[in-house]
Amino acid sequence: MKIEFWFEFASTYSYPAAMRIEALAASRAVQVVWRPFLLGPIFQQQGWNDSPFNIYQAKGRYMWRDMERLCERQDIPLRKPSVFPRNGLLPARVVCAHSEQAWVPGFVRAIYRANFAEDADISSAAIVEQCLTALGQDAATILATSQTPTAKDKLKAQTAEAMERGIFGAPSFVVGDELFWGNDRLEDALAWARR
């Protein structure tokens, strides 16, 4: 039983999902497949050049307050980033280049914490290096691998696949042909995987 976790490092609601999914899936004997992608091309197809939370101010105000409540309830630290959305291209390429490695879930959580709890610039190689080093990884080698055409092409292909599969936002969870959108649908997606 598998669940595909489609996430974008700039996505607010992907943050609590990333912090919760591994333990929840393990408790249900469901394997998580970590699938980073980029929302920018998807938003551009919809005529947006920014996050809808920035375009629609009332929606943005609600989202930040909702995130505060959600993170407080789940004991997840939250600090509104001074820049939103941040560019998650580099960490997404890192995950694409090393998607089968056991350290990937910890790295994903570390990048989300850096962005949404520490207000750190996750597009910075120095921040990505800190996250990798804290996990005991060879950051220089991993960063070099993430800049190869293979890693870049995999991220492009995953973004294209997300569009083809009808993914329009993050986080999204795919179980077989079923799509579940939003952090609040994680438990539903896991239940579907157990069917």
Side-chain angles (χ1 to χ4, degrees):
M1 292 174 287
K2 292 183 181 180
I3 183 171
E4 294 177 42
F5 175 35
W6 291 81
F7 61 95
E8 156 59 273
F9 281 112
S11 161
T12 50
Y13 288 105
S14 291
Y15 169 46
M19 304 309 276
R20 300 178 329 115
I21 190 170
E22 191 174 34
L24 287 173
S27 71
R28 293 159 173 81
V30 176
Q31 178 187 350
V32 179
V33 180
W34 300 78
R35 304 290 304 268
F37 72 109
L38 300 176
L39 278 171
I42 292 171
F43 287 170
Q44 287 170 1
Q45 276 191 339
Q46 298 176 48
W48 299 335
N49 61 0
D50 197 352
S51 165
F53 296 126
N54 288 339
I55 294 170
Y56 305 106
Q57 292 181 3
K59 191 175 195 176
R61 282 191 304 274
Y62 172 82
M63 178 275 297
W64 286 115
R65 183 62 192 127
D66 190 47
M67 281 289 293
E68 288 170 355
R69 290 189 304 255
L70 176 65
C71 289
E72 181 181 334
R73 186 174 70 244
Q74 296 176 355
D75 201 26
I76 297 170
L78 177 67
R79 179 176 168 196
K80 183 180 176 182
S82 54
V83 174
F84 176 79
R86 282 208 167 100
N87 184 334
L89 180 65
L90 178 58
R93 285 178 177 166
V94 166
V95 175
C96 282
H98 302 279
S99 59
E100 302 301 318
Q101 298 298 315
W103 52 263
V104 163
F107 173 73
V108 170
R109 288 189 296 272
I111 291 293
Y112 275 115
R113 274 192 303 272
N115 192 18
F116 291 109
E118 299 162 12
D119 192 20
D121 180 4
I122 61 170
S123 70
S124 160
I127 296 298
V128 175
E129 182 178 350
Q130 286 175 13
C131 292
L132 289 165
T133 302
L135 292 166
Q137 300 306 309
D138 179 354
T141 300
I142 290 169
L143 284 170
T145 306
S146 73
Q147 297 303 317
T148 63
T150 302
K152 292 176 181 181
D153 290 345
K154 185 173 180 184
L155 181 57
K156 287 177 189 171
Q158 283 191 182
T159 300
E161 182 183 348
M163 290 184 203
E164 290 166 11
R165 293 175 79 177
I167 293 172
F168 55 87
S172 288
F173 313 99
V174 177
V175 179
D177 293 327
E178 292 292 327
L179 173 64
F180 300 82
W181 172 59
N183 173 60
D184 58 342
R185 294 296 182 263
L186 173 54
E187 285 82 356
D188 291 346
L190 288 167
W192 193 270
R194 293 282 303 166
R195 285 171 49 131

